[in-house]
Amino acid sequence: MADTKIYAASTTAPVNIAVIKYWGKRDAKLNLPTNSSLSVTLSQDNLRTHTTAACSALFTEDTLTLNGELQDVSGARQQACFRELRALRAALESADSSLPKLSTLSLKIVSENNFPTAAGLASSAAGFAALVRAIADLYQLPQNPTELSRIARQGSGSACRSLFGGYVSWEQGTLEDGSDSLALEVAPASHWPQMRAAILVVSAAKKGVSSTAGMQATVVTSALFPHRVKIVVPQRMKAMKRAIEKRDFEEFAALTMADSNSFHAVCLDTSPPIFYLNDVSRSCIRVVDEINRLAGKNVAAYTFDAGPNAVIYYLEENEDIVLGSLKGGLDGVSGWKQDVTAAGVEGLDASFLEPLKEGITRVIMTRVGGGPVSVEASLIDVDGQRSSA
Ligand code: PMV
């Protein structure tokens, strides 16, 4: 009788927010970057993708369902991930003939985010990291997260960094086949667990220019860009690793803000220019600068990806100053923890907070967190149907 068993594995994976930004591909097909980057992995308590990967002779084609909606998997990115993972499984099967031939079966992937996909948060990073990790677990692959990052990178560049928790670099590599363009753990979350992040969700609208289209245009047209990738980023990568090693928030914050500004500067220097920041984003920058000025040191660091949302990093010990100040202007917005009651930094003029009131729809309070976790909860039931965990 044919084997109609359903093989399944489930995982959750985190979002990461870069403090040294990836922007630019030197090879679009393999998703090879023009510069290295570095990110902080955020806690899965607040933001995570839960994915179940299953395979069975009962399934007739590869499918992916995200938040209840069937996705197109014919794209090169999904196909590259499926192909590479199947090849690793096939190698195991040819070395050990007792293993079931999972590499020949169709895959059914079911994924759910615990946050709105449209909020412009880095959902593709968590999504591809979870997809790769879940299939690797299903196939019982021996590859470590760095080896798997080579595959996740081909789904979405930033996804390779979501295979680790804590502080993670993506080393650009030099080889043409991309085999040395990999994610590495700079430090685990436990090295500097006091790192917090407040995400100010500025707009729930989908981003205007996709990161892929945007970075391609920057590479081709920006005159500032070669300076960023050749000089600025290599120096900042070194300095940022040092700041993390020494748990030096002053330096971490200075580099984070400078690199966000540099990334948005090359966007503006692109033809036609790309505007990811809006007036509300710029007001967030001004508030953070003012909080730091009044505190007499960097207690908060803003950073923005390819959209208007602000991510503000700060240390637990400065929560009263940073969150207290922001909450002063955003008290009516959802997402605050009850215990944020502090008045904030002394002397902050209400006019800095006024522009935020109109534009911020939600706050997500989170922290540095761990990497993907294998979980029992399955999104596919014993009959191979989608179930809600
Ligand atoms: O991985 P992608 O294609 O979603 O690009 C991510 C680009 C930024 O978020 C702007 C920067 C980064 O390093 O995450």
Side-chain angles (χ1 to χ4, degrees):
M1 214 179 85
D3 179 9
T4 54
K5 191 172 162 183
I6 293 163
Y7 300 86
S10 300
T11 190
T12 64
V15 160
N16 71 76
I17 298 291
V19 288
I20 304 291
K21 304 292 187 191
Y22 152 51
W23 196 253
K25 299 178 201 281
R26 68 174 197 274
D27 180 321
K29 191 157 164 271
L30 291 171
N31 251 356
L32 299 178
T34 48
N35 62 266
S36 298
S37 57
L38 199 150
S39 59
V40 179
T41 295
L42 300 183
S43 168
Q44 297 185 53
D45 293 348
N46 308 96
L47 303 166
R48 55 132 187 82
T49 300
H50 178 188
T51 295
T52 298
C55 60
S56 167
L58 294 171
F59 304 153
T60 51
E61 56 178 347
D62 293 339
T63 58
L64 166 64
T65 306
L66 171 63
N67 293 338
E69 282 183 30
L70 208 56
Q71 309 289 308
D72 178 13
V73 290
S74 65
R77 293 153 171 249
Q78 282 86 359
Q79 288 299 315
C81 293
F82 291 168
R83 188 179 58 244
E84 299 256 0
L85 290 159
R86 278 198 169 104
L88 294 176
R89 172 69 191 184
L92 289 184
E93 290 164 3
S94 55
D96 178 353
S97 62
S98 71
L99 291 175
K101 303 279 179 287
L102 304 188
S103 65
T104 61
L105 303 176
S106 290
L107 286 161
K108 177 183 270 203
I109 319 284
V110 178
S111 255
E112 262 158 35
N113 292 336
N114 67 349
F115 56 93
T117 307
L121 301 166
S123 54
S124 68
F128 273 106
L131 178 130
V132 168
R133 187 72 260 179
I135 300 175
D137 290 350
L138 169 70
Y139 289 169
Q140 302 192 329
L141 300 180
Q143 276 73 17
N144 65 33
T146 288
E147 290 164 321
L148 292 176
S149 76
R150 184 182 61 78
I151 301 177
R153 185 199 77 225
Q154 295 174 58
S156 157
S158 55
C160 72
R161 300 184 310 238
S162 274
L163 287 169
F164 286 101
Y167 303 84
V168 188
S169 69
W170 171 13
E171 304 296 334
Q172 64 183 93
T174 53
L175 299 175
E176 252 178 55
D177 68 358
S179 54
D180 60 346
S181 185
L182 302 167
L184 297 173
E185 182 186 82
V186 172
S190 58
H191 167 74
W192 203 5
Q194 296 84 1
M195 187 66 74
R196 299 288 180 271
I199 305 174
L200 308 184
V201 180
V202 170
S203 151
K206 285 227 169 197
K207 56 191 173 193
V209 179
S210 78
S211 54
T212 299
M215 54 180 97
Q216 296 297 69
T218 302
V219 171
V220 176
T221 63
S222 167
L224 256 187
F225 180 72
H227 178 66
R228 169 171 166 78
V229 300
K230 284 199 200 104
I231 313 286
V232 178
V233 173
Q235 285 172 358
R236 283 196 187 136
M237 281 296 290
K238 278 200 200 116
M240 184 59 95
K241 286 178 189 173
R242 245 187 343 257
I244 291 168
E245 193 197 329
K246 295 189 337 218
R247 302 184 192 90
D248 178 349
F249 189 83
E250 274 272 349
E251 181 69 0
F252 172 91
L255 292 165
T256 296
M257 295 187 282
D259 202 69
S260 175
N261 293 339
S262 160
F263 154 48
H264 290 281
V266 297
C267 288
L268 189 63
D269 191 47
T270 299
S271 175
I274 306 167
F275 308 103
Y276 288 125
L277 305 182
N278 64 20
D279 285 348
V280 180
S281 319
R282 283 185 280 274
S283 297
C284 294
I285 293 177
R286 282 189 208 103
V287 176
V288 170
D289 277 340
E290 183 65 359
I291 294 171
N292 288 339
R293 191 184 70 79
L294 292 167
K297 60 178 183 178
N298 288 337
V299 290
Y302 59 76
T303 186
F304 298 81
D305 280 342
N309 295 336
V311 176
I312 299 174
Y313 286 113
Y314 61 95
L315 291 181
E316 184 182 22
E317 68 198 40
N318 291 319
E319 181 156 293
D320 280 359
I321 303 180
V322 179
L323 289 192
S325 301
L326 296 172
K327 198 179 180 196
L330 294 169
D331 213 7
V333 170
S334 71
W336 295 104
K337 275 193 311 198
Q338 296 300 327
D339 53 0
V340 182
T341 52
V345 70
E346 210 171 310
L348 183 64
D349 195 285
S351 63
F352 280 94
L353 294 164
E354 209 53 48
L356 271 57
K357 285 189 181 150
E358 296 300 307
I360 289 168
T361 53
R362 180 178 168 191
V363 179
I364 299 169
M365 293 172 55
T366 186
R367 56 195 294 164
V368 62
V373 188
S374 293
V375 292
E376 287 296 316
S378 179
L379 298 171
I380 296 174
D381 67 18
V382 286
D383 301 321
Q385 302 302 312
R386 180 172 165 256
S387 66
S388 51

